[in-house]
Amino acid sequence: MNAVRGRFAARTVRVKAPGKINVSLDVGPLRADGYHSVASVYLAVSLYEEVAATSTDTGDITVSISPASTLNLDGVDIPLDERNLAYKAAAIMADVSEHSTGVHLEITKRVPVAGGMGGGSADAAATLLACDALWNSGLSRDELAHLAAELGADVPFSLLGGTAVGLGLGDELSPALVKAQTDWVLVAADYGLPTPEVYRTLDRLRAAEEAQVEEPVAVDPLILQALRGGDADALSRVLVNDLQRASIELAPGLRDTLGLGESLGAIAGIVSGSGPTVAMLAHSPAAAEGLAEDLRHHGLDALAVHGPVHGARIISDTLL
C-alpha cells in the first residue's frame, strides 16, 4: 500500500496473543439454556497467534492468512468473512470507536485450528487490542475484556494471559498469581474436533450412565498450589479434563498419543480443552525439548512450550 493515498496515511499495528491449555476442566450438567457451567484453570503458553491490523480507506473489514503461518492449513476451512472471530472483533471495535477506518487483518496462524487451545480466541483478543491502538479508542483493559466476553468465553483470557480460574461459562475470570514456570509438549492433530460436538458427546455418555453431575463452583486448590510451586510431580496427580473421554470417544487415536507420550517420559498427559491437541507435562525445558523430539521421531507434530506467559501485547506500530 502507498504511504499516502490522497490524504490517507496507512498504519499497521501488530499484536501477538497466546494460545492456552486447560490445566483442569470440570464440566457441569447441560443447562436449560443449552450451555454448561465449568470450573477451569487456564494457562497461557508460549505459542502465539499474530494479527497485523492495517488501516484502509475502504471502510471495509477484510481478513487474510499470512504465508508466514507455521500451521499446515491444507484442507482447513478458515472463514475469512464475518464468521471469523477476528472479523467480529474488528466490527465490535468499529462500533465503539469514534475514529474507525477500514481495516485489513492479516493473521499468522500458529495455534492448532479447532484444537482446544483457543487459537481463534487469540486472534480475536489480538484484534481488539490492535484496533484499539489503530483507532486511538482509548479503552481500558477492563473495557476491552468486557467486549472480549461478547465474542466467546476464551477471548478475555487470551487478552489477560498468565494463569486464571474460569467459572460460569468460563468467562468469569479470576487471575491466579502464578510466576513459576511449567514445561509442556503440545501434540497437534491433523484434524479438528468441533467443541459443540465434544460437549454433546459428553452429555450422551453421561446420560447412558445415568450419572448425577453437580454444578462446578470452584477448582481444586491443589492445582493452583502445584502451579505456584512449579511442582510438576504434584501437578501431574491433579490434572483433570471432563471432556477428555468425549474427545477420545470421537477420536480414539488420542488414547494412543497419550500412552506414547507417557512411555517416552512425559510425567502426565491431558487432552487440552475439547481437543484434539494433547498437552504433556515435563520436568524441565530440556526434558520437554527431548520429549518433543522423540514424539516427532514417531511421526507426531510436537512442540515444547512453557507457561504462564503474558496476554495480548502490541509488538509493533508502524506508519506506512
Side-chain angles (χ1 to χ4, degrees):
M1 175 180 284
N2 293 329
V4 177
R5 181 192 292 171
R7 297 179 60 188
F8 181 81
R11 182 172 152 218
T12 296
V13 177
R14 186 178 295 272
V15 174
K16 70 176 184 179
K20 57 85 182 170
I21 58 176
N22 295 78
V23 178
S24 72
L25 179 55
D26 296 299
V27 178
L30 181 64
R31 305 189 327 191
D33 62 4
Y35 292 98
H36 299 75
S37 297
V38 302
S40 186
V41 177
Y42 299 116
L43 180 71
V45 295
S46 56
L47 184 61
Y48 300 93
E49 297 279 275
E50 280 187 27
V51 174
T54 302
S55 54
T56 70
D57 59 0
T58 65
D60 298 326
I61 299 169
T62 55
V63 181
S64 67
I65 304 300
S66 170
S69 299
T70 57
L71 293 184
N72 179 0
L73 297 173
D74 292 342
V76 178
D77 180 26
I78 299 178
L80 301 179
D81 54 18
E82 62 275 2
R83 295 171 295 166
N84 186 286
L85 209 53
Y87 183 109
K88 293 178 181 179
I92 283 181
M93 286 302 301
D95 284 342
V96 301
S97 302
E98 291 185 17
H99 306 294
S100 63
T101 63
V103 64
H104 177 70
L105 307 172
E106 184 182 55
I107 303 173
T108 303
K109 299 293 296 177
R110 298 190 183 96
V111 176
V113 176
M117 289 190 62
S121 297
D123 297 337
T127 300
L128 290 173
L129 188 59
C131 288
D132 176 67
L134 193 67
W135 298 330
N136 298 311
S137 304
L139 298 185
S140 67
R141 278 278 173 154
D142 285 345
E143 289 169 323
L144 287 174
H146 180 74
L147 296 177
E150 297 180 25
L151 293 163
D154 286 343
V155 184
F157 177 68
S158 191
L159 198 63
L160 175 71
T163 308
V165 173
L167 300 176
L169 296 179
D171 57 344
E172 298 173 17
L173 292 178
S174 301
L177 296 177
V178 173
K179 294 183 178 179
Q181 176 176 308
T182 47
D183 297 284
W184 303 80
V185 173
L186 303 178
V187 182
D190 58 2
Y191 57 88
L193 283 178
T195 299
E197 187 177 356
V198 177
Y199 273 95
R200 284 193 296 269
T201 301
L202 177 63
D203 293 336
R204 176 172 56 78
L205 292 172
R206 285 174 166 176
E209 298 166 351
E210 298 182 355
Q212 297 297 313
V213 182
E214 296 184 357
E215 289 281 331
V217 294
V219 301
D220 184 346
L222 292 177
I223 296 169
L224 294 176
Q225 182 178 321
L227 283 169
R228 289 188 178 114
D231 189 337
D233 289 312
L235 185 60
S236 72
R237 295 190 287 271
V238 288
L239 295 178
V240 61
N241 179 3
D242 284 349
L243 291 179
Q244 179 163 305
R245 62 187 185 128
S247 299
I248 291 174
E249 176 86 3
L250 292 167
L254 291 175
R255 184 181 284 109
D256 298 331
T257 300
L258 288 162
L260 178 61
E262 293 190 13
S263 74
L264 292 173
I267 311 171
I270 192 171
V271 173
S272 180
S274 56
T277 303
V278 169
M280 297 180 181
L281 184 59
H283 273 126
S284 66
E289 290 287 357
L291 176 60
E293 185 174 351
D294 289 344
L295 288 164
R296 288 194 290 268
H297 286 158
H298 284 79
L300 296 179
D301 180 5
L303 177 70
V305 299
H306 65 270
V309 298
H310 60 77
R313 177 176 292 181
I314 294 172
I315 54 177
S316 66
D317 187 341
T318 308
L319 191 64
L320 302 182

